[in-house]
Amino acid sequence: MKALRILGIAAGVVLALLAAAVGLLYALFDGEKIKGEASRVVLEQTQRKLDIPGRLELSVWPDIGIRLGRLTLSEPGGKEEFLALDAARVAVAVMPLLSKQVQVRRVEVEGFKATLVKRKDGTLNIADLTGGAGKDAAKPGVGAGGTASAPPQIDIAGIRIANAQLTWRDEKSGSTTTLSNLDFSSGRIQADGGRQTLMVDALSLAAKGRSGTDAFEVKLEAPRLALSPEKAGGESLSLAATLAGSNRNVAARLMLSAVEGSTKALKIGKLAFDVDAKSGDTAVKVHLDSPVAANPGERTVALEKIAGSIDIANPQMPMKQLKLPLAGALRADLVHQTAALELATGFDESKIAAKLRVARFAPLALGFDLDIDQLNVDKYLPPKGKGDKAAKEARLDFSALRGPDVNGAIHIGSLQVSKLKLAKLNAKVNLAGGRLDVAPLTLNLYEGSASGSLSLNAAGNGVTLKQNLTGISINPLLKDLADKDLVEGRGNVTLDVASHGDSVTAMKKALGGTAALSLRDGAIKGINLAQSLRDLKGKLGAKQDSTQQAKAGDKTDFSELTASLKIANGVAHNEDLAIKSPFLRLAGSGDIDIGGGRMDYVARASVVASSAGQGGQGLDQLKGLTIPVRVTGPFDSLSYKIELGSLVSEAAKAKIGEKTQEVKAKAEDKLKDRLKGLFGK
């Protein structure tokens, strides 16, 4: 009984001491004074208005803490709200309160909201809070003798943030991203800036948000992580993210495991990255893994052995599914803002090697080298069909060219794309200020070569092409490029054209510039002019024109063809067509409507010889005549009209000419006979 009595007395003394301590805490705590002092300091140092309309209270359960209700913080100048929260509680250590010092042990926040803004000049609306724009940023910290302040020390038993919202607004681009339903929690967090140590327990973050019309969700979990100069270690860290948008879904996951080493030499046994994405009928799966070596002090990281694959599936692809194995390495220096990536892959008969170099992170400056031995792009694209017309009308948008600076080189041994067959392609690429320049651009194609440049400009969706094609076989080029069988021959083509527009059709209608063509030993396809002229011998007196459609098997041979074109608003005009063959000469002029896909052209054919071996047999009666041939209609259905009305007058002129020459010849013969008699010879 005596022992119980002593125990009861001791318990009573303890309770009395606790009650006295609580009473002392309440006596020393002055919430209104703390609120006023906090508002004054914030206004003086940041020109922001801190408003705490509710009471600042001291709570003692479940631990000693300071509780406050709604709080708002304005933008500089106090006009717009920057930050707000519905409620918060900060648990503190007891003993420091007796000397009017606050040491945080636990933080709990409800309904936190903040808006981060990147202004048009590139500055952030939090620069004054992070030390980037404050007048006192360079002042020494408070300490003995005015020396710099001691390295920060943090020891928090836990943090919990519930139902938070963050908004990111870029005033230059006009984009807004909102992160809502954000929940963050952790166990104990210890950090010592002097000893360079960090320890985190039970870190967890979950958030949902929207960016434009896309909804996303992010989850982060780290059971335990410890870093120090002597030793580092931790359990697995996982980061998962999903995105759902219009007709597309993306799920990504990053895993870090087997963390060891120290803050000077941190090693991660395995980094694994997986992506599962679907857009329309196309599904893409990516897997990458690699060990990681990092130096947190020098802020360098290296993934020296990247291995993985990319799987692409689409029911419209000829092979339905394509798998690309990947191998490479990545090195990054965060202090100097540089990075280098090497990747290699191979599939079917193709081998591809790429090197990327980052010279600056912000704004991004990127360099690259791409080397491909051979690639048939058509093999992996869906076959052309009804969707081709929709593709031509699909909106073209070059705004993606605005942003990073990129320069590099592309080397391709052989390439087939949209049926075009190219070889030894070499190009220098430069992207800056929203303009992409590919120059010089050289390649071999269709028994010849090409050199020139290509430019795309985000301003006005502009395209400029300059090319000199030498020794080109024109017929297979036109067949593969435009599916047109119009002309044969080999020679040179020069192009200096430009256009703009938001679709392929608009680009064609806005095309302007110049072009020139010089071919030898070829043929005009669709008409056998020699046969057509032979058929005219019995129709020379007719007044009705003769019209015929182009025929696939017919052609008119030539030994030389030259022409130049002036192009404006999608219409190419020609005045100097010259075609030569052993029995014909052709000149011409007219328009080729590239935007409308039509032609209106008049070729004037003259018979100059009747070489039977060149198809000229039976054309003696037409020798000396100029025969107009009008070519009209859409490219897919051209018609050739021989205009007989003008041919009658040409025949009459030719007949008069023949009679005149005959009379002249007879007069000359008679004169010669008289001269002979006069001189007796």
Side-chain angles (χ1 to χ4, degrees), residues 46-49 73-80 82 119 124-129:
T46 67
Q47 289 73 55
R48 295 172 182 260
K49 183 180 179 181
L73 180 65
S74 73
E75 292 282 5
K79 294 182 179 180
E80 298 179 1
F82 159 67
R119 304 185 184 98
L124 298 176
N125 67 332
I126 59 170
D128 58 323
L129 301 179

Side-chain angles (χ1 to χ4, degrees), residues 83-106:
L83 176 151
L85 56 86
D86 294 334
R89 184 176 185 275
V90 180
V92 297
V94 176
M95 296 308 295
L97 286 177
L98 299 177
S99 57
K100 297 185 179 182
Q101 294 181 0
V102 179
Q103 291 185 5
V104 176
R105 284 291 178 261
R106 184 172 180 82

